[in-house]
Amino acid sequence: MSVHIDITGLRPEAVAVVLSPLGELCMALHALSEPGHHPGLQGWVTGVTARLDSHLADRMCEADFLWRTTLSDLFLPFAGIPGRSTLPGATLAEDLDLLDKLSDEQFVDAALEFTCALEYGTRGRSALTDAGLRRRALDLAAARGPRQLRFSERLLADPPRIRAWLRQFLHDCDEAFFAEAWSRLRHQLAADARHKTEILRRKGLAEALAAVSPAVTLDEAAGRITIDKLGDGRTATGDGGLLLLPTSLGWPHLSVLYRDGWQPVLHYPVGSPELASPPSVEQLTLRMSALSHPVRMRICRLLARSAYTTGELAQAHGMTAPEISRHLGVLKKAGLLTMRRRGRYVLHQLDVTVVARLGSDFLEGILR
């Protein structure tokens, strides 16, 4: 399971590392709505929440599914501008002006992403003009709750009104807390953008993507970027560009915009506590599966305390050596064991550091 970006024909000058105030405001709103995703931001979240005006807090709940359930593409409007070469604005006001340039169909479909009304990345139909898709969107919104249904009904009935509401809300968030945060964060983001741009210039796209995240790889022969995520998706740069967008507030989320017809954007965290080489989704699945078997759990109980040979484990569990070897092979393939030789014997031991990290690896993997 991965997201793939076909970059066939992509010109080097069409790849850019850029900042987006609106993109970072999305991450700020997400962190405020889901602080459990961002333990490193608890102090900031507590401070903002404590001084937040109650009226603004209520409005924040009114459409929080735009940044809580999903990280809506509405916060990266530059990617949807025709030509697929537009860069973000230098200020939040400029980014909001770009948001105003999206068509009503683009705005509505991106806003309704939380309902899964359309398979993400498909072309053609819009809930604003297709009656069947409109009914489906409202049914799915109703399943999410009355607040989501009311918002969706207003959005479909009067898009300009909701667009004006959202712009005013984001402006008020900027005044309340984001302008102060952005004045501090943009320096870190600018430094990271300069660093990644220098890698891109000197060492090429493959090295720049590796610096973005170990979960992002480039197959130069195939002309394809692969982002290791718990999901499937495909897009292509086509005649447009590719944007790399750093975020200070986004870890552990490695987000990919791959909406059909929009410029692909890779929204990646900087200054994050993630491991130098986090496990792939496939490796994470192997580890979870390996540990779920009751026999292997009992084997791990011994291996967590000391190192054992295959014969010792067979005797302890009343099993044959080949049976134990098969279970050890599963644990070894999952990267959960360390081994050392003592004469003609091989001693196996559980890598407790890897197992202890499994919970955080699991969260990073599913939230990536």
Side-chain angles (χ1 to χ4, degrees):
M1 289 180 286
S2 301
V3 176
H4 303 283
I5 304 174
D6 185 339
I7 60 168
T8 303
L10 178 66
R11 295 171 289 109
E13 63 271 20
V15 182
V17 190
V18 293
L19 311 188
S20 168
L22 184 55
E24 195 68 355
L25 176 52
C26 175
M27 291 300 188
L29 289 167
H30 176 72
L32 290 169
S33 298
E34 289 286 359
H37 291 188
H38 309 275
L41 299 177
Q42 285 183 354
W44 178 78
V45 168
T46 300
V48 171
T49 303
R51 65 176 186 271
L52 201 61
D53 173 78
S54 59
H55 179 58
L56 182 59
D58 289 342
R59 291 160 64 203
M60 191 177 294
C61 293
E62 189 172 345
D64 65 354
F65 38 82
L66 295 178
W67 49 83
R68 180 198 289 268
T69 307
T70 59
L71 300 174
S72 174
D73 292 344
L74 290 179
F75 290 89
L76 306 177
F78 46 86
I81 304 299
R84 301 200 295 178
S85 60
T86 301
L87 300 180
T91 65
L92 181 63
E94 291 178 10
D95 265 352
L96 292 176
D97 288 342
L98 292 174
L99 180 60
D100 289 342
K101 291 184 178 181
L102 295 181
S103 68
D104 281 349
E105 287 81 5
Q106 286 179 304
F107 185 93
V108 168
D109 291 343
L112 287 176
E113 182 186 334
F114 77 93
T115 68
C116 306
L118 261 181
E119 182 182 348
Y120 185 83
T122 57
R123 179 192 290 271
R125 300 165 63 203
S126 168
L128 199 59
T129 56
D130 187 301
L133 195 58
R134 184 189 190 97
R135 286 192 298 272
R136 172 174 162 77
L138 291 175
D139 286 345
L140 290 169
R144 296 295 183 97
R147 190 174 64 209
Q148 287 86 340
L149 177 59
R150 287 194 299 271
F151 178 88
S152 300
E153 288 173 337
R154 294 199 304 270
L155 174 67
L156 289 165
D158 192 356
R161 181 182 177 186
I162 294 298
R163 297 179 74 146
W165 178 91
L166 181 61
R167 178 167 184 138
Q168 185 60 53
F169 168 75
L170 295 173
H171 174 75
D172 293 346
C173 286
D174 186 48
E175 288 190 343
F177 62 87
F178 182 68
E180 179 185 352
W182 181 247
S183 68
R184 171 175 49 87
L185 297 174
R186 64 186 176 88
H187 299 294
Q188 179 193 21
L189 295 176
D192 183 83
R194 287 192 298 270
H195 176 61
K196 298 294 192 301
T197 300
E198 187 66 12
I199 295 175
L200 188 64
R201 185 179 70 84
R202 290 181 175 273
K203 299 183 178 181
L205 181 58
E207 290 292 331
L209 293 174
V212 161
S213 170
V216 184
T217 56
L218 170 64
D219 184 337
E220 296 190 70
R224 182 178 64 241
I225 296 171
T226 298
I227 303 95
D228 184 52
K229 288 176 66 70
L230 195 63
D232 294 303
R234 294 184 180 277
T235 190
T237 52
D239 58 355
L242 171 69
L243 298 182
L244 309 180
L245 190 70
T247 168
S248 287
L249 301 176
W251 187 87
H253 306 298
L254 176 63
S255 304
V256 189
L257 189 160
Y258 58 96
R259 184 176 294 276
D260 186 76
W262 289 42
Q263 185 174 194
V265 180
L266 185 57
H267 204 177
Y268 67 93
V270 302
S272 68
E274 69 176 328
L275 305 172
S277 298
S280 66
V281 171
E282 180 183 5
Q283 191 175 33
L284 182 61
T285 303
L286 279 175
R287 289 177 179 175
M288 303 280 285
S289 177
L291 292 172
S292 67
H293 196 284
V295 172
R296 289 194 286 273
M297 288 180 69
R298 291 196 297 271
I299 291 173
C300 286
R301 184 174 185 272
L302 288 178
L303 297 183
R305 290 166 168 79
S306 185
Y308 288 84
T309 67
T310 302
E312 289 173 326
L313 291 170
Q315 186 175 12
H317 291 282
M319 300 171 67
T320 66
E323 288 174 326
I324 290 293
S325 291
R326 283 194 293 272
H327 286 297
L328 291 176
V330 173
L331 294 169
K332 180 181 177 182
K333 185 178 180 180
L336 296 169
L337 297 184
T338 62
M339 283 153 290
R340 68 179 189 272
R341 183 168 291 278
R342 188 180 63 193
R344 63 189 182 92
Y345 297 103
V346 175
L347 295 170
H348 307 272
Q349 190 161 15
L350 189 69
D351 191 334
V352 293
T353 302
V354 171
V355 176
R357 241 176 16 221
L358 194 56
S360 58
D361 285 344
F362 174 73
L363 283 175
E364 192 273 342
I366 63 174
L367 295 176
R368 186 187 299 160

